[in-house]
Each structure stands twice: as structure tokens, then as C-alpha cells.
Amino acid sequence: MVFYYLINMKKSFLMLAAVLIGGAAYAQQTNPLLQHETEITEIIKSMTLEEKVNMLHGKTMFSSAGVERLGIADMKYADGPFGIREELEDHSWTPLGWDVDRATFFPTGSALAATWCPGIAYEYGKGMAIEAKLRGKDMILGPAMNIQRLPTGGRTYEYLSEDPLLSGILATGYTKGSQDQNEAVCLKHFAVNSQENMRGFINANISERALREIYLTPFEMAVKEGNAWGVMAAYNKIWGQWCSENFNLQENILRNEWGFRGMIISDWGGTHSTVGAVMGGLEVEMPSSTYLGDSLIAAVNRGDVPMNVIDQRVRNILRVRLTVNPVPANVANQKVASQPETQAIAYKVASKSIVLLKNEGLLPLSNKVKTIAVIGDNATRTMALGGVGAGVKTLYEVTPLEGLQKALKGKAKIRYARGYEPAPQARWGQKLPENAMEEYEKRMEKLKKEALKVAKGADVVLFIGGNNREVETEGSDRTTIKLPFDQEDLLEDVAEINPNIVVVMVAGAPVDLREVEPIAKSLVYSWFNGTEGGNALADVLTGKIAPSGKLPFTFPRKLEDSPAYALGVYPQKEQGGGDVFVNLVNRDRFAVRKADADYSEGIFVGYRWYTTKNVKPMYAFGYGLSYVPFKYSNLAAKVEGENIEVTFDLANQGNMEAEEVSQVYIGRPDSKVERPKYELKGFKRTAVKAGETTKITISIPKDRLRHWNEFQHAWNVEGGKAVIYVGGSSDNLPLQTEVTL
Ligand code: BGC
């Protein structure tokens, strides 16, 4: 018997070995990163230690060195996931003041995610890559794709979604779109950088299961399915260890398990040691050489770091370097980065991202509307720049007011009043002048009066408010989701004078809508929607196109309903202060600071929490109306090989063409482990003509039903019943059926 097992074990081992070797050979053939291995070996042989180490740290603020002697070009990084950042001085954050670096401002992450469309994400990546190439850059520092765990998270506008599948599919699309143009991406921030407060030193205490199922899955998808060439290590720690030197994350999981063959760079100022970082898997310390410069040479000479580790670091960089064709200096920056082709992509994303939350008939604006009062600071505010972090010096940005003026020219009269203005903010280390707030109140009174005057007698009021890029910013989380600058007071007063109010919220993250929702007859969520944002918004409001965006995150009724707040694990106690990025600018290294973030809600992030705990949100994940009613019918599902094939009919019962994002959620009622009621497992955006019905098929790999088994430290796909729910949002799933796995 034992003998039988041994023979069989040997057989399986040989089979496994054959598969692995075959698989490796196959990967080598198809993975562009592995096309130059022999050449790379030769290059490395001919390099000195100094030349090698010279590649492992920043050369300038946004580049790392190649080897001039060997004709190997520097790596040039393009900051920002939503537009190519302007050119800066080599060793400071001071802009060079060029003109050719005026780029397209692409809608930010949450807007892209609201399209729920991998094809659009692909075009987005392509557009970014086209501009990056024009600027002579090799690697885009994006997509930014951490899970939107907190409604207040400072970078929610930049990140994609609270859901790992939606985030992963979009990040994969972005990655392919960019890399098909021969431009590397850099997935960031790896991993669990889901809060900005104390991001420079916070330690995430997180269950293995939540880490795998929620926080790592998007990265895994973009690596395995998108073959991303670059990854940026996050600032924070996980389980007590800095991400940038986390062997388990970078070597075990990213490289060995997922097969990542590219390079890992640190976040700016996010390297913390020499031996730890280089042994832990980091290739490049950005933007300086504090740890991976001279001290690394010394560490190698001391024998603390073996040469083969250095060689592997260099190899990983060279794989990317030899895959991405450098743009010659005399070709780069010859014409303005923003081009009609890329602007058209920005328009497309924006036009499909806008979410209609409520409509009591005011939208689309009727032809009978002849006078429109536009009120609100965001009607004229540009969003390409602001706050801390990468922004875009854009060639142009159409504001909502400009978009409306163009679309309604000769059709309706627009009267504009600002209505409110942002409160004065003290800059770093400075104090506000004593009477600043008093003066502000006075100005606000005046602005309100003007708004009330404009509202009076108008056929419709378009209130365009929300957040701005100072309110939502890298480097700090919001303390509240309440609308800033007394917008609710203003709205209430306007409503008394003219109740025909359409509210357009321009924001990248959720806000508290409890007071706004009852006032707004129609309510629209627009985003930090890029260069063409105003045109897209006007086209939706006037009915040229139907709104088709769906929320990529849950809108809580109140902040305390959201999981981390409900459990009291956020905000955490600060020990020390200061943001890592701000410290970097101020050339102040890290003080020793400590804080822990307990991810106590585990896998119950976003809608997984609300649906399972029966907490009613203001607007559910996946929600978004259209100008037409959609009807779902005829659901069927069957297991076919490795997939679950789900089919159903979608009818457009309205009088205009419209697009709908259909969503498939799956529940595992008999699961042996704790699970959410159901989870998003597939989705599809489809255009349906007026009055027509179309058959939709969504193919879901069975593997998406996996869960992380914390005892085996491995993925399991359980057999048994799978309940399939289909509909237009996570809280409106009219169709239901079952399959057995
Ligand atoms: C951000 C990164 C960014 C880098 C360079 C950091 O503060 O976290 O996302 O790419 O700065 O600007």
C-alpha cells in the first residue's frame, strides 16, 4: 500500500514538474519581460558593484539610473494615475514651467470605476500611455488601486472601489491598455494603504483572509491577468513589517505565488533600511539614496548582502528596462502631451461615469426650461490640481458651468451665482489672520443673497456643489463626510425660494446626503471628472446621453454606519504627528512614531458589511439610475467546465438608447466559513436601444468563488449550492437562481 502511494506520489510529482517546467517555458515565450534573459545575464556580468547599486535608488525626483557606459537608459517615472504630472526640477518639487507638459486630466479613479467597464479602463490606460510616451516617460505611477475601506479615506477619489473584483478588473484593463502601448504601469500601493492618516507609519493588523480576499486580490488580478511590469510598495506596515521590506508580500506572494517578474519601487520616502529592503524584495528606493546607495555598497562589501541578491534586483529592473523602449531625448517633449485623441478618451470615461441617484422628473432638462439658475462653487472650480500629491497641469478643463453654457447656447438662459466659497485654510505651519473667519462669514452672507436672487423665478435651479481637491486630498483623511462650507444651509434657503432643484455633487468620495436628498428633486453624482468633465455633465443633464454610471462604493447614511467606524477601530490614536509626504518636502526624516490600524471588520468591507448586517445605506454599492427603466428577466445559470454561465434578458423600456451595468452577485448559504450575504462575481455594461431587449451572458470563472482557508493558508473553492442574484445594483437584484458546484 505504502509502495503504491509512493509510486503515485512520484507520478504526480513528475506530472507536476512537467507542468511547472512546461508552464515556465510557456511563460518565458509569452511574457515580454522574459525575452532578454541571456542578454541581461551578460550585462550584469559586465557591471561593477557601483554601477549595479546606482540603479537601485532615485537619480532625480522621478527617475532612476541606467548604465550610460552600456547604453542602458534611465527609468523615467510619470507621476499620477489620472494624468501625467508636469516636469519638475531634478531634485525638488518645483515645476520647470514648461508648456509642452500640459496634459489631459483624466477622470480620477472613482470616476473610472463608476463606469464599471474594463474596455473603458483599457482606453484610459492607453490614453495615459500615449501622453507618457510623448513626455518621454517609461513607467506610469498608477493605477492607484487600494481598497476604499473608509468613506473618509483621503485618496478615495484616486482609488477605484471598495470591491476587489471591480478594482481588479479595472486595474487589469488599465494595465493592459498602457502596456500594449509599451508603457509600464506601477500598481500602487502594495499593500493595504487604505488610509492616509499616519500612512507613513501605521501598522495594519489584518486577518490573513481579509488580506487575501479583499486587499490583495486586485493586485493579484493585475499581475496575473494584466502582467503588470511595476509595483510600488506602500508606506505602511503590515503585521509589524514595512511593506517595502516585506519578504512575505514582495517575494513569497507577489513574485513566487503570482509570478510577478517586474520591478518594485518604494513610495517616495517609504524605504526604511538597507539590508531589510534589498533582501525583502525592493528594487528601487525613491527618490533618494539614503538606504540603497553608499550604505548598500558597504553592506555588500561587509558580506551582509550577497551579490546574487543585488544581481537579481538589477535583473528585475533590466527586464522592464529592456522591454520598454526608451524615448530618445530629441523625440520626447516635442509636442504638447494632451492631444485630441486622448481628450476624447477623457470625455468617454467622464460621460459614462456620471451617476443619477434620484430623479423626480427634472432630468433630462426639458426644452421648456428657459431660465436656469446655476449655483455653487464647483460649477466654476477646476479639479485638476489641489491638495497634497500628484495633480495634472492640464491643457484645459471644461467646468460644469462652461459645459452647460456651450450645450444650452441659444436654448436657455443661464444665471450663475457662486452661493458659497471654501473656508480659508491655514497653510502648513501658518496661522489664519485674526479676523479671517469673520470676513469669511460676511462674504458667505453676501454670496447667499446673490444666490437667492438668481434662484428666484428660474425654471430650474442647478446646484453644483460637493467637495473639492483641498477637501479630499492625499496625506490626510477627512474627519467627516458632512458637506463642507455650509452647503446644506444654502440649499435649504434656496429651496424655499425655488423648489425645482437639481443637485449635482462633484466629489470623489461619498458625502452625507441626509439633508440634501429630500431637497433635491433630482440628484446627480459627478466626479473629479477630468478635462472634459463639464461637457460630459452637460450632455447628461440635457439628455444628449443617458446617465449610466454606477456607484463603486457604498454611500452610508451616516459615517458611524460604515464598518470601521461602527466597530470603533477608526480613527486610531495618533502617536506623534505629521504626514510622511509633508515630512519629505520639509526634508524632515521620520521620527519614531507608532500606531496600529485594526482591520476588525475583516472581509466585511463596504456592501459586504451593509448587506450582511442589514444596515440600510443611503445609496448602495452598484446603484445608479438611467433616464429609461430597465427590466431584467429570464435568468438561467449553468456550470460549464470551469465557468458558471449566467444568461438573462435586459429590456430597455424607455424611449432613448441607454447603457446599463448588469451585476451578478453570488451567495454561498451552505458555506462552512463566515461569508457575506452575497458578493459581486461578474458584471457587464451593455448598450440597449429604446424599446429593445437583449440577451446577456456573463461568464464567471468558478475560481472567483474561492475563499482563503486560514488553516491551510490556501485558496479553497467549496462545493455545494451557489445562489445567483442578478440586477442593476447590490440592493436591487430582481432575479435569482441556483447552481450546484
Ligand atoms: C504617493 C505616491 C506618488 C509619490 C510621488 C507619494 O506621496 O503616495 O502615490 O506616486 O508620492 O509623487
Side-chain angles (χ1 to χ4, degrees):
M1 192 64 177
V2 173
F3 184 65
Y4 172 82
Y5 274 126
L6 282 177
I7 290 191
N8 267 304
M9 257 173 70
K10 195 173 161 203
K11 229 161 118 190
S12 346
F13 175 76
L14 288 176
M15 271 163 63
L16 182 72
V19 169
L20 285 178
I21 294 166
Y26 176 76
Q28 189 138 359
Q29 270 168 26
T30 55
N31 188 348
L33 290 182
L34 300 179
Q35 300 302 302
H36 310 275
E37 292 301 281
T38 330
E39 190 186 341
I40 291 174
T41 306
E42 292 309 312
I43 295 173
I44 292 174
K45 267 192 211 150
S46 70
M47 286 171 75
T48 64
L49 172 62
E50 283 69 21
E51 283 172 333
K52 291 174 188 173
V53 169
N54 202 36
M55 293 181 75
L56 307 188
H57 55 78
K59 177 178 175 181
T60 66
M61 222 29 142
F62 285 98
S63 75
S64 57
V67 196
E68 217 183 327
R69 178 178 70 84
L70 300 174
I72 294 163
D74 297 349
M75 281 297 299
K76 297 194 169 141
Y77 306 103
D79 202 13
F82 54 87
I84 310 301
R85 190 176 189 159
E86 71 188 300
E87 204 63 29
L88 307 177
E89 278 180 4
D90 277 356
H91 298 286
S92 85
W93 298 93
T94 311
L96 289 182
W98 290 2
D99 256 339
V100 284
D101 59 354
R102 292 194 175 275
T104 298
F105 165 31
F106 289 87
T108 69
S110 49
L112 170 61
T115 69
W116 287 60
C117 183
I120 293 175
Y122 181 93
E123 287 190 54
Y124 190 115
K126 179 178 170 187
M128 286 285 296
I130 290 171
E131 296 199 13
K133 284 281 181 217
L134 285 174
R135 292 283 312 285
K137 307 290 181 190
D138 303 300
M139 180 179 276
I140 293 170
L141 303 182
M145 51 191 287
N146 293 101
I147 290 291
Q148 294 160 337
R149 176 189 183 222
L150 309 165
T152 46
R155 291 179 95 166
T156 301
Y157 72 93
E158 221 181 336
Y159 294 156
L160 296 166
S161 171
E162 68 184 25
D163 180 79
L165 183 75
L166 180 57
S167 299
I169 286 181
L170 296 173
T172 303
Y174 185 133
T175 298
K176 287 184 177 163
S178 174
Q179 294 188 170
D180 282 355
Q181 300 297 311
N182 191 245
E183 178 75 24
V185 297
C186 187
L187 312 177
K188 70 188 190 184
H189 311 84
F190 191 63
V192 200
N193 185 180
S194 286
Q195 70 179 67
E196 287 299 283
N197 284 357
M198 302 184 283
R199 64 177 168 161
F201 55 93
I202 193 99
N203 172 40
N205 291 323
I206 186 170
S207 73
E208 207 180 297
R209 185 163 169 217
L211 178 68
R212 291 288 189 152
E213 288 184 27
I214 306 292
Y215 297 90
L216 293 189
T217 289
F219 289 93
E220 181 181 358
M221 291 175 73
V223 167
K224 284 190 180 163
E225 294 164 32
N227 189 24
W229 298 338
V231 165
M232 186 188 291
Y235 279 131
N236 48 284
K237 295 176 178 176
I238 299 180
W239 299 332
Q241 205 184 12
W242 296 110
C243 286
S244 59
E245 54 194 66
N246 200 313
F247 189 88
N248 193 33
L249 264 187
Q250 302 187 140
E251 289 293 316
N252 285 342
I253 297 178
L254 179 62
R255 291 204 158 99
N256 296 338
E257 245 183 67
W258 301 347
F260 177 70
R261 295 291 171 262
M263 56 190 276
I264 306 176
I265 69 175
S266 77
D267 201 340
W268 269 231
T271 311
H272 299 273
S273 69
T274 299
V275 179
V278 81
M279 298 298 283
L282 186 71
E283 262 77 46
V284 185
E285 172 191 4
M286 287 303 293
S288 58
S289 57
T290 314
Y291 298 103
L292 301 192
D294 290 345
S295 34
L296 180 55
I297 296 178
V300 176
N301 288 335
R302 270 198 319 269
D304 287 350
V305 176
M307 188 61 92
N308 65 353
V309 170
I310 300 291
D311 288 350
Q312 188 60 45
R313 300 281 155 264
V314 171
R315 177 178 295 277
N316 294 343
I317 298 172
L318 285 174
R319 283 174 176 164
V320 180
R321 181 61 287 175
L322 298 194
T323 302
V324 177
N325 308 317
V327 184
N330 60 352
V331 174
N333 297 307
Q334 298 303 304
K335 62 175 182 182
V336 173
S338 182
Q339 291 292 319
E341 181 191 3
T342 44
Q343 293 151 15
I345 296 173
Y347 171 81
K348 190 167 179 183
V349 181
S351 67
K352 290 171 196 270
S353 74
I354 295 163
V355 184
L356 180 63
L357 295 173
K358 173 180 177 181
N359 195 10
E360 283 177 1
L362 285 186
L363 291 177
L365 293 170
S366 118
N367 291 338
K368 291 189 192 117
V369 169
K370 292 296 169 205
T371 42
I372 301 175
V374 175
I375 296 172
D377 182 65
N378 281 347
T380 56
R381 181 169 294 275
T382 55
M383 300 292 180
L385 292 165
V388 171
V392 190
K393 186 178 79 184
T394 187
L395 182 62
Y396 69 93
E397 180 178 345
V398 181
T399 64
L401 183 62
E402 287 165 352
L404 284 161
Q405 278 163 339
K406 205 170 95 192
L408 292 169
K409 200 167 177 197
K411 296 181 192 147
K413 200 161 167 267
I414 296 177
R415 300 196 304 233
Y416 173 65
R418 197 176 178 196
Y420 68 89
E421 66 175 40
Q425 260 185 321
R427 294 278 143 207
W428 300 331
Q430 288 169 1
K431 270 196 180 156
L432 285 179
E434 225 164 77
N435 58 350
M437 286 319 284
E438 257 169 47
E439 294 295 318
Y440 174 63
E441 298 300 336
K442 278 192 211 149
R443 289 201 301 278
M444 286 287 272
E445 274 309 308
K446 192 164 165 259
L447 289 172
K448 186 189 271 188
K449 268 197 198 131
E450 286 163 10
L452 298 181
K453 210 163 128 198
V454 159
K456 198 167 181 179
D459 296 332
V460 169
V461 174
L462 280 181
F463 182 90
I464 305 185
N467 290 334
N468 61 38
R469 293 282 311 284
E470 303 287 335
V471 176
E472 292 183 38
T473 174
E474 189 181 316
S476 55
D477 300 322
R478 283 180 293 160
T479 51
T480 162
I481 55 170
K482 192 177 157 37
L483 274 174
F485 323 132
D486 294 330
Q487 292 176 59
E488 286 141 339
D489 284 357
L490 172 64
L491 256 173
E492 272 164 24
D493 290 358
V494 171
E496 276 183 21
I497 289 195
N498 190 337
N500 281 340
I501 302 182
V502 177
V503 172
V504 177
M505 286 286 137
V506 176
V511 295
D512 184 335
L513 291 171
R514 282 176 297 171
E515 287 186 38
V516 175
E517 199 271 346
I519 297 174
K521 290 230 165 106
S522 299
L523 181 52
V524 171
Y525 224 69
S526 194
W527 308 94
F528 298 146
N529 230 344
T531 277
E532 286 285 335
N535 285 335
L537 179 65
D539 288 348
V540 166
L541 296 179
T542 57
K544 189 172 167 196
I545 47 173
S548 60
K550 300 270 185 174
L551 294 177
F553 47 65
T554 308
F555 260 76
R557 247 171 214 290
K558 52 184 192 305
L559 194 49
E560 305 82 68
D561 288 346
S562 62
Y565 283 86
L567 294 171
V569 291
Y570 183 90
Q572 306 89 359
K573 275 211 186 93
E574 279 207 41
Q575 300 168 25
D579 169 63
V580 64
F581 182 84
V582 176
N583 287 340
L584 187 71
V585 174
N586 294 341
R587 301 195 179 281
D588 172 15
R589 298 305 307 172
F590 299 92
V592 178
R593 294 182 222 131
K594 279 173 80 177
D596 281 287
D598 293 330
Y599 282 62
S600 307
E601 73 281 16
I603 59 168
F604 294 93
V605 178
Y607 70 90
R608 287 167 165 78
W609 172 268
Y610 292 85
T611 48
T612 310
K613 307 276 174 192
N614 285 320
V615 181
K616 208 175 151 22
M618 178 59 100
Y619 291 113
F621 172 77
Y623 175 79
L625 302 170
S626 177
Y627 290 152
V628 303
F630 280 106
K631 187 164 183 276
Y632 285 85
S633 61
N634 289 333
L635 174 64
K638 57 177 187 286
V639 179
E640 261 184 24
E642 288 312 301
N643 294 321
I644 304 172
E645 301 291 339
V646 179
T647 58
F648 53 91
D649 290 338
L650 176 67
N652 174 346
Q653 299 184 317
N655 54 9
M656 72 185 288
E657 177 172 332
E659 296 187 10
E660 163 77 339
V661 177
S662 307
Q663 300 158 41
V664 182
Y665 294 80
I666 299 187
R668 306 302 309 272
D670 304 330
S671 176
K672 291 198 177 56
V673 292
E674 198 185 17
R675 289 196 189 237
K677 192 167 168 195
Y678 44 68
E679 296 175 281
L680 182 73
K681 295 297 166 194
F683 54 90
K684 197 174 241 173
R685 169 180 276 270
T686 319
V688 194
K689 294 221 164 63
E692 288 193 358
T693 298
T694 178
K695 185 160 264 334
I696 294 180
T697 301
I698 298 181
S699 193
I700 296 166
K702 272 195 284 190
D703 200 40
R704 280 194 192 156
L705 273 54
R706 67 187 190 170
H707 75 274
W708 185 258
N709 183 323
E710 295 201 311
F711 299 100
Q712 297 171 356
H713 309 290
W715 292 108
N716 286 175
V717 178
E718 287 182 311
K721 205 198 289 183
V723 185
I724 297 170
Y725 305 85
V726 173
S729 83
S730 67
D731 68 343
N732 183 11
L733 299 163
L735 306 183
Q736 191 179 324
T737 187
E738 275 177 32
V739 292
T740 305
L741 295 181

